[in-house]
Amino acid sequence: MLTVIDHPLVQHKLTLLRRKETTTGEFRRLAREISLLLAYEVLRDLPLEPLAIETPMERMQAVQVQGKKLCFISILRAGAGILEGMLDLVPAARVGHVGLYRDHETHEPVEYYFKVPDALEERLCVVVDPMLATGHSAAAAVAKLKQAGARRIKFVCLLAAPEGVAAFEAAHPDVPVYTGALDRQLDENAYILPGLGDAGDRLFGTK
Ligand code: URA
């Protein structure tokens, strides 16, 4: 259920994103651009339905994306850096937010916010967080979404660690994971190696 999106532009931009010299402004722009490219791949199986339209020339049978508007679920706070690029591609999407922070000692997620659109059971829910590290936050967010009714869920990140992929898949074998790269491992503080550092700090210029 893991897909590494190996498009050359994604890989090139990831290299720029990872570099420690990359400034906050560049980091934010790159994260947005990569996210748009990831969304393009992640959404390639959206179902279509026929739609009759008129061009200036004649009537035609065209197509449109079927069903209720899809929903992006951003895991706060770093998910915001991915959300923008995805909304560039799907401006009409609905947006939900799950507030989770990682306890620095236990590395376990602690929830402090949950606000999502209605009729989750009828929407594709694309959960976004830049880093799939331990997988605990992602798994907790998806569990909460399932409780709220979500049935069709995908998870998208920029970088994943093998440990996080394994933990997430064990908790949610039904949820496909899409990433720009599968990195080597976690360090003792549960940061991804080689990684890119703290995604939230690099996006927002904190620390
Ligand atoms: N969160 C981050 O921002 N970076 C990591 O490497 C792991 C989790």
Side-chain angles (χ1 to χ4, degrees), residues 120-164:
L120 278 192
E121 57 285 353
E122 295 173 49
R123 304 179 190 277
L124 169 65
C125 293
V126 179
V127 182
V128 301
D129 195 0
M131 312 296 272
L132 185 61
T134 62
H136 296 160
S137 299
V142 168
K144 195 70 200 193
L145 286 171
K146 286 181 174 174
Q147 275 171 27
R151 303 272 171 276
R152 280 187 305 142
I153 305 174
K154 297 183 179 203
F155 180 82
V156 187
C157 57
L158 301 178
L159 299 184
E163 298 91 327

mmCIF file of all heavy atoms in Angstrom, residues 120-164:
data_model
loop_
_atom_site.group_PDB
_atom_site.id
_atom_site.type_symbol
_atom_site.label_atom_id
_atom_site.label_comp_id
_atom_site.label_asym_id
_atom_site.label_seq_id
_atom_site.Cartn_x
_atom_site.Cartn_y
_atom_site.Cartn_z
ATOM 1 N N LEU A 120 -18.537 12.888 5.810
ATOM 2 C CA LEU A 120 -17.209 12.309 5.510
ATOM 3 C C LEU A 120 -17.331 10.961 4.813
ATOM 4 O O LEU A 120 -16.481 10.597 4.001
ATOM 5 C CB LEU A 120 -16.423 12.099 6.807
ATOM 6 C CG LEU A 120 -15.687 13.283 7.418
ATOM 7 C CD1 LEU A 120 -14.764 12.796 8.510
ATOM 8 C CD2 LEU A 120 -14.921 14.073 6.369
ATOM 9 N N GLU A 121 -18.408 10.219 5.149
ATOM 10 C CA GLU A 121 -18.569 8.875 4.585
ATOM 11 C C GLU A 121 -18.757 8.911 3.064
ATOM 12 O O GLU A 121 -18.561 7.907 2.389
ATOM 13 C CB GLU A 121 -19.710 8.113 5.269
ATOM 14 C CG GLU A 121 -21.082 8.750 5.237
ATOM 15 C CD GLU A 121 -21.255 9.936 6.193
ATOM 16 O OE1 GLU A 121 -20.350 10.206 7.008
ATOM 17 O OE2 GLU A 121 -22.296 10.598 6.080
ATOM 18 N N GLU A 122 -19.157 10.080 2.526
ATOM 19 C CA GLU A 122 -19.379 10.182 1.076
ATOM 20 C C GLU A 122 -18.192 10.817 0.349
ATOM 21 O O GLU A 122 -18.253 11.058 -0.850
ATOM 22 C CB GLU A 122 -20.629 11.015 0.802
ATOM 23 C CG GLU A 122 -21.900 10.382 1.310
ATOM 24 C CD GLU A 122 -23.072 11.328 1.170
ATOM 25 O OE1 GLU A 122 -23.264 11.896 0.079
ATOM 26 O OE2 GLU A 122 -23.768 11.527 2.173
ATOM 27 N N ARG A 123 -17.154 11.160 1.071
ATOM 28 C CA ARG A 123 -16.029 11.877 0.444
ATOM 29 C C ARG A 123 -14.754 11.023 0.473
ATOM 30 O O ARG A 123 -14.564 10.236 1.398
ATOM 31 C CB ARG A 123 -15.719 13.174 1.212
ATOM 32 C CG ARG A 123 -16.890 14.110 1.352
ATOM 33 C CD ARG A 123 -16.454 15.341 2.144
ATOM 34 N NE ARG A 123 -17.601 16.165 2.500
ATOM 35 C CZ ARG A 123 -18.163 17.063 1.706
ATOM 36 N NH1 ARG A 123 -17.680 17.270 0.505
ATOM 37 N NH2 ARG A 123 -19.206 17.761 2.118
ATOM 38 N N LEU A 124 -13.901 11.276 -0.518
ATOM 39 C CA LEU A 124 -12.527 10.788 -0.401
ATOM 40 C C LEU A 124 -11.801 11.729 0.561
ATOM 41 O O LEU A 124 -11.844 12.952 0.380
ATOM 42 C CB LEU A 124 -11.840 10.817 -1.771
ATOM 43 C CG LEU A 124 -10.326 10.571 -1.741
ATOM 44 C CD1 LEU A 124 -10.001 9.159 -1.250
ATOM 45 C CD2 LEU A 124 -9.722 10.798 -3.128
ATOM 46 N N CYS A 125 -11.174 11.183 1.587
ATOM 47 C CA CYS A 125 -10.423 11.999 2.550
ATOM 48 C C CYS A 125 -8.925 11.791 2.312
ATOM 49 O O CYS A 125 -8.429 10.661 2.429
ATOM 50 C CB CYS A 125 -10.741 11.587 3.985
ATOM 51 S SG CYS A 125 -12.417 11.941 4.457
ATOM 52 N N VAL A 126 -8.230 12.866 1.988
ATOM 53 C CA VAL A 126 -6.783 12.794 1.762
ATOM 54 C C VAL A 126 -6.104 13.471 2.950
ATOM 55 O O VAL A 126 -6.204 14.686 3.125
ATOM 56 C CB VAL A 126 -6.397 13.483 0.438
ATOM 57 C CG1 VAL A 126 -4.886 13.423 0.230
ATOM 58 C CG2 VAL A 126 -7.136 12.852 -0.733
ATOM 59 N N VAL A 127 -5.471 12.661 3.781
ATOM 60 C CA VAL A 127 -4.839 13.162 5.002
ATOM 61 C C VAL A 127 -3.408 13.574 4.678
ATOM 62 O O VAL A 127 -2.676 12.795 4.036
ATOM 63 C CB VAL A 127 -4.842 12.072 6.102
ATOM 64 C CG1 VAL A 127 -4.234 12.599 7.393
ATOM 65 C CG2 VAL A 127 -6.261 11.566 6.339
ATOM 66 N N VAL A 128 -3.016 14.786 5.092
ATOM 67 C CA VAL A 128 -1.681 15.270 4.715
ATOM 68 C C VAL A 128 -0.851 15.678 5.934
ATOM 69 O O VAL A 128 -1.339 16.334 6.855
ATOM 70 C CB VAL A 128 -1.770 16.455 3.717
ATOM 71 C CG1 VAL A 128 -2.506 16.024 2.465
ATOM 72 C CG2 VAL A 128 -2.428 17.685 4.302
ATOM 73 N N ASP A 129 0.390 15.259 5.913
ATOM 74 C CA ASP A 129 1.372 15.624 6.942
ATOM 75 C C ASP A 129 2.741 15.443 6.273
ATOM 76 O O ASP A 129 2.955 14.415 5.627
ATOM 77 C CB ASP A 129 1.238 14.691 8.156
ATOM 78 C CG ASP A 129 1.961 15.233 9.375
ATOM 79 O OD1 ASP A 129 2.571 16.315 9.297
ATOM 80 O OD2 ASP A 129 1.931 14.559 10.426
ATOM 81 N N PRO A 130 3.649 16.409 6.367
ATOM 82 C CA PRO A 130 4.896 16.275 5.602
ATOM 83 C C PRO A 130 5.727 15.044 5.950
ATOM 84 O O PRO A 130 6.384 14.490 5.083
ATOM 85 C CB PRO A 130 5.677 17.552 5.943
ATOM 86 C CG PRO A 130 4.699 18.500 6.492
ATOM 87 C CD PRO A 130 3.572 17.694 7.057
ATOM 88 N N MET A 131 5.720 14.643 7.226
ATOM 89 C CA MET A 131 6.658 13.611 7.645
ATOM 90 C C MET A 131 5.923 12.416 8.263
ATOM 91 O O MET A 131 5.198 12.583 9.252
ATOM 92 C CB MET A 131 7.620 14.171 8.702
ATOM 93 C CG MET A 131 8.240 15.507 8.329
ATOM 94 S SD MET A 131 9.281 15.429 6.886
ATOM 95 C CE MET A 131 10.831 14.993 7.627
ATOM 96 N N LEU A 132 6.120 11.223 7.722
ATOM 97 C CA LEU A 132 5.610 10.010 8.364
ATOM 98 C C LEU A 132 6.801 9.415 9.118
ATOM 99 O O LEU A 132 7.601 8.672 8.545
ATOM 100 C CB LEU A 132 5.054 9.037 7.318
ATOM 101 C CG LEU A 132 4.390 7.779 7.862
ATOM 102 C CD1 LEU A 132 3.182 8.111 8.732
ATOM 103 C CD2 LEU A 132 3.967 6.840 6.740
ATOM 104 N N ALA A 133 6.919 9.794 10.392
ATOM 105 C CA ALA A 133 8.107 9.416 11.179
ATOM 106 C C ALA A 133 7.824 8.147 11.990
ATOM 107 O O ALA A 133 8.098 7.046 11.528
ATOM 108 C CB ALA A 133 8.537 10.593 12.044
ATOM 109 N N THR A 134 7.247 8.292 13.194
ATOM 110 C CA THR A 134 6.859 7.082 13.943
ATOM 111 C C THR A 134 5.562 6.500 13.386
ATOM 112 O O THR A 134 5.252 5.333 13.618
ATOM 113 C CB THR A 134 6.619 7.408 15.425
ATOM 114 O OG1 THR A 134 5.531 8.344 15.507
ATOM 115 C CG2 THR A 134 7.844 7.987 16.087
ATOM 116 N N GLY A 135 4.784 7.339 12.716
ATOM 117 C CA GLY A 135 3.467 6.907 12.216
ATOM 118 C C GLY A 135 2.365 7.067 13.249
ATOM 119 O O GLY A 135 1.192 6.866 12.943
ATOM 120 N N HIS A 136 2.716 7.468 14.480
ATOM 121 C CA HIS A 136 1.702 7.525 15.544
ATOM 122 C C HIS A 136 0.664 8.611 15.287
ATOM 123 O O HIS A 136 -0.533 8.381 15.463
ATOM 124 C CB HIS A 136 2.366 7.751 16.910
ATOM 125 C CG HIS A 136 3.265 6.626 17.324
ATOM 126 N ND1 HIS A 136 4.260 6.759 18.274
ATOM 127 C CD2 HIS A 136 3.325 5.344 16.901
ATOM 128 C CE1 HIS A 136 4.887 5.610 18.421
ATOM 129 N NE2 HIS A 136 4.344 4.730 17.605
ATOM 130 N N SER A 137 1.121 9.814 14.881
ATOM 131 C CA SER A 137 0.165 10.915 14.651
ATOM 132 C C SER A 137 -0.751 10.572 13.484
ATOM 133 O O SER A 137 -1.969 10.777 13.559
ATOM 134 C CB SER A 137 0.896 12.216 14.324
ATOM 135 O OG SER A 137 1.712 12.576 15.389
ATOM 136 N N ALA A 138 -0.158 10.070 12.414
ATOM 137 C CA ALA A 138 -0.957 9.738 11.233
ATOM 138 C C ALA A 138 -1.989 8.667 11.584
ATOM 139 O O ALA A 138 -3.164 8.776 11.214
ATOM 140 C CB ALA A 138 -0.038 9.255 10.117
ATOM 141 N N ALA A 139 -1.562 7.652 12.322
ATOM 142 C CA ALA A 139 -2.485 6.565 12.679
ATOM 143 C C ALA A 139 -3.593 7.088 13.589
ATOM 144 O O ALA A 139 -4.764 6.718 13.428
ATOM 145 C CB ALA A 139 -1.716 5.427 13.355
ATOM 146 N N ALA A 140 -3.246 7.973 14.522
ATOM 147 C CA ALA A 140 -4.264 8.522 15.436
ATOM 148 C C ALA A 140 -5.253 9.394 14.665
ATOM 149 O O ALA A 140 -6.467 9.330 14.898
ATOM 150 C CB ALA A 140 -3.585 9.338 16.543
ATOM 151 N N ALA A 141 -4.749 10.200 13.732
ATOM 152 C CA ALA A 141 -5.632 11.075 12.942
ATOM 153 C C ALA A 141 -6.595 10.233 12.103
ATOM 154 O O ALA A 141 -7.791 10.523 12.028
ATOM 155 C CB ALA A 141 -4.801 11.986 12.045
ATOM 156 N N VAL A 142 -6.079 9.187 11.493
ATOM 157 C CA VAL A 142 -6.928 8.341 10.637
ATOM 158 C C VAL A 142 -7.954 7.582 11.496
ATOM 159 O O VAL A 142 -9.116 7.441 11.096
ATOM 160 C CB VAL A 142 -6.051 7.386 9.790
ATOM 161 C CG1 VAL A 142 -6.891 6.303 9.131
ATOM 162 C CG2 VAL A 142 -5.291 8.191 8.736
ATOM 163 N N ALA A 143 -7.549 7.137 12.680
ATOM 164 C CA ALA A 143 -8.508 6.458 13.562
ATOM 165 C C ALA A 143 -9.659 7.398 13.917
ATOM 166 O O ALA A 143 -10.830 7.016 13.907
ATOM 167 C CB ALA A 143 -7.792 5.978 14.833
ATOM 168 N N LYS A 144 -9.317 8.639 14.192
ATOM 169 C CA LYS A 144 -10.336 9.644 14.543
ATOM 170 C C LYS A 144 -11.262 9.893 13.342
ATOM 171 O O LYS A 144 -12.481 10.013 13.495
ATOM 172 C CB LYS A 144 -9.570 10.906 14.950
ATOM 173 C CG LYS A 144 -10.296 11.953 15.664
ATOM 174 C CD LYS A 144 -10.691 11.636 17.070
ATOM 175 C CE LYS A 144 -11.793 12.620 17.341
ATOM 176 N NZ LYS A 144 -12.359 12.968 18.419
ATOM 177 N N LEU A 145 -10.697 9.953 12.158
ATOM 178 C CA LEU A 145 -11.518 10.169 10.951
ATOM 179 C C LEU A 145 -12.460 8.994 10.704
ATOM 180 O O LEU A 145 -13.612 9.181 10.318
ATOM 181 C CB LEU A 145 -10.622 10.352 9.726
ATOM 182 C CG LEU A 145 -9.910 11.687 9.651
ATOM 183 C CD1 LEU A 145 -8.887 11.672 8.526
ATOM 184 C CD2 LEU A 145 -10.907 12.819 9.433
ATOM 185 N N LYS A 146 -11.970 7.795 10.935
ATOM 186 C CA LYS A 146 -12.827 6.618 10.758
ATOM 187 C C LYS A 146 -13.988 6.669 11.750
ATOM 188 O O LYS A 146 -15.130 6.387 11.389
ATOM 189 C CB LYS A 146 -12.012 5.333 10.930
ATOM 190 C CG LYS A 146 -11.100 5.035 9.744
ATOM 191 C CD LYS A 146 -10.327 3.728 9.966
ATOM 192 C CE LYS A 146 -9.524 3.335 8.733
ATOM 193 N NZ LYS A 146 -8.657 2.159 9.001
ATOM 194 N N GLN A 147 -13.685 7.058 12.999
ATOM 195 C CA GLN A 147 -14.749 7.207 14.006
ATOM 196 C C GLN A 147 -15.781 8.228 13.558
ATOM 197 O O GLN A 147 -16.965 8.108 13.849
ATOM 198 C CB GLN A 147 -14.166 7.716 15.328
ATOM 199 C CG GLN A 147 -13.615 6.654 16.247
ATOM 200 C CD GLN A 147 -12.869 7.306 17.412
ATOM 201 O OE1 GLN A 147 -13.170 8.443 17.807
ATOM 202 N NE2 GLN A 147 -11.908 6.604 17.947
ATOM 203 N N ALA A 148 -15.318 9.259 12.845
ATOM 204 C CA ALA A 148 -16.218 10.332 12.385
ATOM 205 C C ALA A 148 -16.934 9.940 11.094
ATOM 206 O O ALA A 148 -17.680 10.744 10.545
ATOM 207 C CB ALA A 148 -15.430 11.625 12.188
ATOM 208 N N GLY A 149 -16.683 8.727 10.581
ATOM 209 C CA GLY A 149 -17.452 8.237 9.443
ATOM 210 C C GLY A 149 -16.683 8.052 8.145
ATOM 211 O O GLY A 149 -17.233 7.525 7.178
ATOM 212 N N ALA A 150 -15.425 8.498 8.076
ATOM 213 C CA ALA A 150 -14.677 8.399 6.813
ATOM 214 C C ALA A 150 -14.487 6.931 6.423
ATOM 215 O O ALA A 150 -14.180 6.088 7.271
ATOM 216 C CB ALA A 150 -13.330 9.096 6.948
ATOM 217 N N ARG A 151 -14.689 6.658 5.142
ATOM 218 C CA ARG A 151 -14.558 5.283 4.632
ATOM 219 C C ARG A 151 -13.404 5.173 3.623
ATOM 220 O O ARG A 151 -12.712 4.165 3.577
ATOM 221 C CB ARG A 151 -15.835 4.839 3.905
ATOM 222 C CG ARG A 151 -17.086 4.900 4.724
ATOM 223 C CD ARG A 151 -17.301 3.609 5.504
ATOM 224 N NE ARG A 151 -18.389 3.783 6.443
ATOM 225 C CZ ARG A 151 -18.266 4.316 7.663
ATOM 226 N NH1 ARG A 151 -17.086 4.707 8.096
ATOM 227 N NH2 ARG A 151 -19.301 4.445 8.461
ATOM 228 N N ARG A 152 -13.270 6.195 2.776
ATOM 229 C CA ARG A 152 -12.222 6.170 1.745
ATOM 230 C C ARG A 152 -11.162 7.178 2.145
ATOM 231 O O ARG A 152 -11.403 8.386 2.145
ATOM 232 C CB ARG A 152 -12.802 6.550 0.381
ATOM 233 C CG ARG A 152 -13.533 5.404 -0.303
ATOM 234 C CD ARG A 152 -13.935 5.804 -1.714
ATOM 235 N NE ARG A 152 -14.709 7.029 -1.724
ATOM 236 C CZ ARG A 152 -14.620 7.974 -2.642
ATOM 237 N NH1 ARG A 152 -13.747 7.883 -3.619
ATOM 238 N NH2 ARG A 152 -15.391 9.044 -2.586
ATOM 239 N N ILE A 153 -9.991 6.684 2.523
ATOM 240 C CA ILE A 153 -8.941 7.555 3.061
ATOM 241 C C ILE A 153 -7.628 7.250 2.344
ATOM 242 O O ILE A 153 -7.309 6.079 2.074
ATOM 243 C CB ILE A 153 -8.766 7.325 4.582
ATOM 244 C CG1 ILE A 153 -10.098 7.502 5.317
ATOM 245 C CG2 ILE A 153 -7.716 8.277 5.160
ATOM 246 C CD1 ILE A 153 -10.050 7.155 6.801
ATOM 247 N N LYS A 154 -6.864 8.313 2.049
ATOM 248 C CA LYS A 154 -5.494 8.157 1.566
ATOM 249 C C LYS A 154 -4.605 9.031 2.449
ATOM 250 O O LYS A 154 -5.064 10.070 2.936
ATOM 251 C CB LYS A 154 -5.360 8.619 0.112
ATOM 252 C CG LYS A 154 -6.194 7.794 -0.869
ATOM 253 C CD LYS A 154 -5.952 8.251 -2.293
ATOM 254 C CE LYS A 154 -6.782 7.397 -3.255
ATOM 255 N NZ LYS A 154 -6.226 7.391 -4.611
ATOM 256 N N PHE A 155 -3.350 8.620 2.613
ATOM 257 C CA PHE A 155 -2.414 9.416 3.413
ATOM 258 C C PHE A 155 -1.259 9.852 2.518
ATOM 259 O O PHE A 155 -0.682 9.030 1.782
ATOM 260 C CB PHE A 155 -1.875 8.605 4.600
ATOM 261 C CG PHE A 155 -0.923 9.397 5.430
ATOM 262 C CD1 PHE A 155 -1.385 10.289 6.390
ATOM 263 C CD2 PHE A 155 0.447 9.293 5.227
ATOM 264 C CE1 PHE A 155 -0.501 11.057 7.126
ATOM 265 C CE2 PHE A 155 1.339 10.056 5.963
ATOM 266 C CZ PHE A 155 0.857 10.942 6.925
ATOM 267 N N VAL A 156 -0.916 11.141 2.594
ATOM 268 C CA VAL A 156 0.145 11.688 1.731
ATOM 269 C C VAL A 156 1.178 12.429 2.576
ATOM 270 O O VAL A 156 0.820 13.245 3.436
ATOM 271 C CB VAL A 156 -0.426 12.682 0.700
ATOM 272 C CG1 VAL A 156 0.668 13.105 -0.282
ATOM 273 C CG2 VAL A 156 -1.600 12.089 -0.044
ATOM 274 N N CYS A 157 2.459 12.151 2.317
ATOM 275 C CA CYS A 157 3.534 12.869 3.013
ATOM 276 C C CYS A 157 4.665 13.154 2.022
ATOM 277 O O CYS A 157 4.697 12.602 0.923
ATOM 278 C CB CYS A 157 4.054 12.049 4.195
ATOM 279 S SG CYS A 157 4.660 10.419 3.753
ATOM 280 N N LEU A 158 5.569 14.026 2.444
ATOM 281 C CA LEU A 158 6.732 14.319 1.604
ATOM 282 C C LEU A 158 7.796 13.243 1.790
ATOM 283 O O LEU A 158 8.381 12.762 0.825
ATOM 284 C CB LEU A 158 7.324 15.692 1.966
ATOM 285 C CG LEU A 158 6.394 16.900 1.827
ATOM 286 C CD1 LEU A 158 7.125 18.165 2.260
ATOM 287 C CD2 LEU A 158 5.890 17.030 0.398
ATOM 288 N N LEU A 159 8.067 12.900 3.065
ATOM 289 C CA LEU A 159 9.082 11.893 3.392
ATOM 290 C C LEU A 159 8.510 10.893 4.390
ATOM 291 O O LEU A 159 7.754 11.284 5.287
ATOM 292 C CB LEU A 159 10.305 12.535 4.042
ATOM 293 C CG LEU A 159 11.104 13.563 3.262
ATOM 294 C CD1 LEU A 159 12.322 13.991 4.084
ATOM 295 C CD2 LEU A 159 11.537 13.022 1.907
ATOM 296 N N ALA A 160 8.922 9.630 4.240
ATOM 297 C CA ALA A 160 8.484 8.602 5.180
ATOM 298 C C ALA A 160 9.695 7.829 5.679
ATOM 299 O O ALA A 160 10.691 7.684 4.965
ATOM 300 C CB ALA A 160 7.516 7.642 4.488
ATOM 301 N N ALA A 161 9.585 7.333 6.907
ATOM 302 C CA ALA A 161 10.597 6.415 7.459
ATOM 303 C C ALA A 161 10.012 5.006 7.429
ATOM 304 O O ALA A 161 8.805 4.842 7.614
ATOM 305 C CB ALA A 161 10.926 6.808 8.897
ATOM 306 N N PRO A 162 10.860 3.991 7.241
ATOM 307 C CA PRO A 162 10.344 2.618 7.208
ATOM 308 C C PRO A 162 9.565 2.260 8.473
ATOM 309 O O PRO A 162 8.537 1.573 8.410
ATOM 310 C CB PRO A 162 11.617 1.763 7.096
ATOM 311 C CG PRO A 162 12.665 2.675 6.556
ATOM 312 C CD PRO A 162 12.319 4.060 7.000
ATOM 313 N N GLU A 163 10.034 2.766 9.634
ATOM 314 C CA GLU A 163 9.344 2.476 10.902
ATOM 315 C C GLU A 163 7.919 3.031 10.893
ATOM 316 O O GLU A 163 6.981 2.409 11.386
ATOM 317 C CB GLU A 163 10.105 3.099 12.085
ATOM 318 C CG GLU A 163 11.519 2.570 12.294
ATOM 319 C CD GLU A 163 12.594 3.368 11.539
ATOM 320 O OE1 GLU A 163 12.304 3.876 10.443
ATOM 321 O OE2 GLU A 163 13.718 3.451 12.055
ATOM 322 N N GLY A 164 7.781 4.231 10.338
ATOM 323 C CA GLY A 164 6.466 4.883 10.299
ATOM 324 C C GLY A 164 5.521 4.182 9.344
ATOM 325 O O GLY A 164 4.334 4.008 9.645
#
